[in-house]
Amino acid sequence: MVNPTIQRRRLGLALKRARESAGKTQDEAAVVIDAAASKISRLELGQSGIKLTDLKLLLDLYGVTGEEAEPLRELARAGRQRGRWSTYRNVVPDWFRQYLDLEGDASEIRWYQPEVIPGILQIEPYIRAMNVTAHPRLSSEDVDRQVAVRLDRQAILRQDGAPDLSFILSESALRRSIGDAATMRSQLLHLTEVGKQPNVSLQVFPFDAQTYETASFNFIILRFGDDAASDVIYVETFTDADYLDRPDAVRAYTRLWDRLRAAALGPVESRKLILRMADDMKR
């Protein structure tokens, strides 16, 4: 299925490069399509689709014509379609469906999580316990759909051509009780099994890590092939999310990731710690 978020993302990058090559500013581009500069920013970030009439005006401004323009028109058409996650519209907000599309198309995902187990690593009882606690007013049907979304995402762990997945989990995420002791023990054992996969690296950032560098918020670095210019940083808040692709932001988060990874336990030591924690819960 065509992934509209990815098509919009690719179109946005192409438009940004064309604008910069033409020496035009976002303000100048906005004037041509009679819009605010913020709309050009959203287009270049892949956060919204574009009408073909507006696309033609921008391409004319940037001097992109003929055979060069046709692939961009195709991306614009594809970007206006519905994605695979549209069937979950009533339980997944728009700003998160965009992330799901990006996650599904990434070639590498680096995930730092300080408080709970990352969604694509959660087992079903853990997912249910989280939703019942966090959203007590959800109907049982909506809880089932929330579970279905998260389990559907986990196909990324098993699919052909699976991305390289690196996780750094704060020790607090492993010790925070979600559900009963049996649920937590099963969840911890599941982490050790997933961590054995050749494309998965899982490290624990311990309470006694010898570093001044910490992060109290989760963030995800998404990479798409070898083109670093297409990297996206995903930072989630309580009611929304930020998608950062500015080179300075990408560099800053990449440096933060490298420092956290250096201070975390290695994969082998991390697995041993998680197994000890799971064994303690059996007693």
Side-chain angles (χ1 to χ4, degrees):
M1 179 182 292
V2 172
N3 184 330
T5 296
I6 298 304
Q7 306 308 327
R8 290 196 298 267
R9 175 74 184 151
R10 289 170 176 159
L11 176 60
L13 286 170
L15 288 175
K16 181 178 180 179
R17 289 167 178 162
R19 176 179 59 77
E20 292 175 345
S21 295
K24 303 297 182 180
T25 65
Q26 289 187 342
D27 288 331
E28 290 173 312
V31 169
V32 170
I33 62 172
D34 192 24
S38 59
K39 181 173 182 178
I40 300 298
S41 177
R42 289 195 302 273
L43 288 173
E44 293 182 353
L45 287 170
Q47 294 177 345
S48 62
I50 185 173
K51 295 185 293 185
L52 290 178
T53 51
D54 286 346
L55 178 62
K56 182 180 185 306
L57 292 171
L58 290 178
L59 294 181
D60 288 344
L61 175 67
Y62 303 155
V64 179
T65 59
E67 293 183 356
E68 287 184 280
E70 184 54 32
L72 303 187
R73 286 193 286 268
E74 288 299 321
L75 288 174
R77 294 186 188 100
R80 298 182 68 83
Q81 299 180 25
R82 285 193 173 187
R84 62 169 296 202
W85 301 101
S86 60
T87 55
Y88 294 111
R89 294 180 69 88
N90 65 323
V91 292
V92 180
D94 290 343
W95 52 265
F96 189 60
R97 287 202 304 276
Q98 180 182 354
Y99 168 77
L100 294 180
D101 283 336
L102 292 170
E103 178 183 80
D105 206 54
S107 60
E108 182 181 353
I109 299 174
R110 302 174 181 177
W111 193 322
Y112 173 73
Q113 188 78 38
E115 292 298 331
V116 296
I117 306 299
I120 60 175
L121 299 180
Q122 295 173 6
I123 61 173
E124 183 173 344
Y126 187 101
I127 300 169
R128 288 190 179 278
M130 277 197 67
N131 276 282
V132 169
T133 302
H135 309 288
R137 295 183 181 179
L138 281 182
S139 67
S140 60
E141 291 81 6
D142 281 344
V143 171
D144 287 343
R145 289 173 67 78
Q146 291 279 8
V147 172
V149 171
R150 197 149 294 184
L151 294 179
D152 196 4
R153 288 172 59 197
Q154 294 179 12
I156 197 174
L157 297 169
R158 304 178 296 274
Q159 68 188 21
D160 291 338
D164 291 327
L165 299 164
S166 300
F167 301 93
I168 301 175
L169 311 185
S170 170
E171 185 174 340
S172 60
L174 305 176
R175 295 192 180 277
R176 184 174 301 282
S177 294
I178 304 293
D180 57 21
T183 294
M184 283 304 303
R185 183 170 185 275
S186 296
Q187 176 64 75
L188 293 176
L189 292 175
H190 176 69
L191 291 179
T192 64
E193 290 302 310
V194 173
K196 295 178 183 178
Q197 295 182 199
N199 64 312
V200 176
S201 170
L202 196 153
Q203 296 178 251
V204 176
F205 189 81
F207 289 142
D208 60 355
Q210 299 298 307
T211 179
Y212 68 91
E213 196 72 66
T214 60
S216 58
F217 54 91
N218 63 296
F219 65 89
I220 302 171
I221 302 174
L222 299 156
R223 305 207 68 192
F224 306 90
D226 296 327
D227 184 4
S230 65
D231 290 0
V232 177
I233 310 298
Y234 174 79
V235 183
E236 189 173 308
T237 62
F238 185 57
T239 59
D240 206 342
D242 289 323
Y243 294 84
L244 311 175
D245 72 340
R246 301 188 319 274
D248 59 330
V250 172
R251 286 194 298 269
Y253 275 89
T254 300
R255 287 195 296 266
L256 174 58
W257 169 268
D258 289 340
R259 290 193 290 267
L260 292 170
R261 184 178 62 177
L265 299 176
V268 174
E269 292 81 1
S270 296
R271 185 170 184 272
K272 289 179 179 178
L273 173 61
I274 296 172
L275 286 172
R276 286 198 301 272
M277 293 171 63
D279 189 56
D280 289 342
M281 292 180 178
K282 186 172 59 175
R283 298 170 185 172

